[in-house]
Amino acid sequence: MSDHIRNTSPMLASLRCGAKTRSGDACRSPAVHGKQRCRMHGGAQGSGAPKANQNACKHGLFTGDAIAERRQIQALLCEARKLLEEMK
Ligand SMILES: [Zn+2]
């Protein structure tokens, strides 16, 4: 038998996927370079919907624009509340 020692520590130290699997545990596959998930969980090149994709849009409540608008309204309300507190 060969006495060659395999150096697998860089491989084992790589970022792991962590996606929730059907068994409920986290996926332990290595993440694709530059991505958070493995090739099976959305890390593959070219995966994911293109920007401004309307295929699954039903009401637009969770679009980036709608979320930003709600944040602005909340910030404005927060400022108004602070102003009202100061006026008391
Ligand atoms: Zn995975």
Side-chain angles (χ1 to χ4, degrees):
M1 200 165 108
S2 169
D3 57 350
H4 174 71
I5 300 168
R6 293 181 67 196
N7 182 14
T8 57
S9 55
M11 185 178 77
L12 296 173
S14 65
L15 186 70
R16 297 290 136 172
C17 170
K20 188 181 167 192
T21 59
R22 283 189 282 179
S23 68
D25 298 329
C27 175
R28 290 180 289 180
S29 299
V32 172
H33 186 70
K35 302 252 184 155
Q36 295 289 312
R37 297 291 180 224
C38 71
R39 64 194 175 92
M40 301 300 284
H41 289 123
Q45 202 167 31
S47 66
K51 290 279 178 196
N53 184 6
Q54 296 291 307
N55 290 353
C57 186
K58 296 211 175 192
H59 41 66
L61 198 62
F62 301 105
T63 60
D65 290 343
I67 292 168
E69 188 180 330
R70 285 196 297 272
R71 275 208 188 111
Q72 281 182 336
I73 291 169
Q74 284 302 317
L76 189 67
L77 285 173
C78 187
E79 274 184 42
R81 278 190 207 107
K82 280 179 189 170
L83 193 65
L84 285 172
E85 284 295 319
E86 287 173 10
M87 289 172 75
K88 278 185 183 176

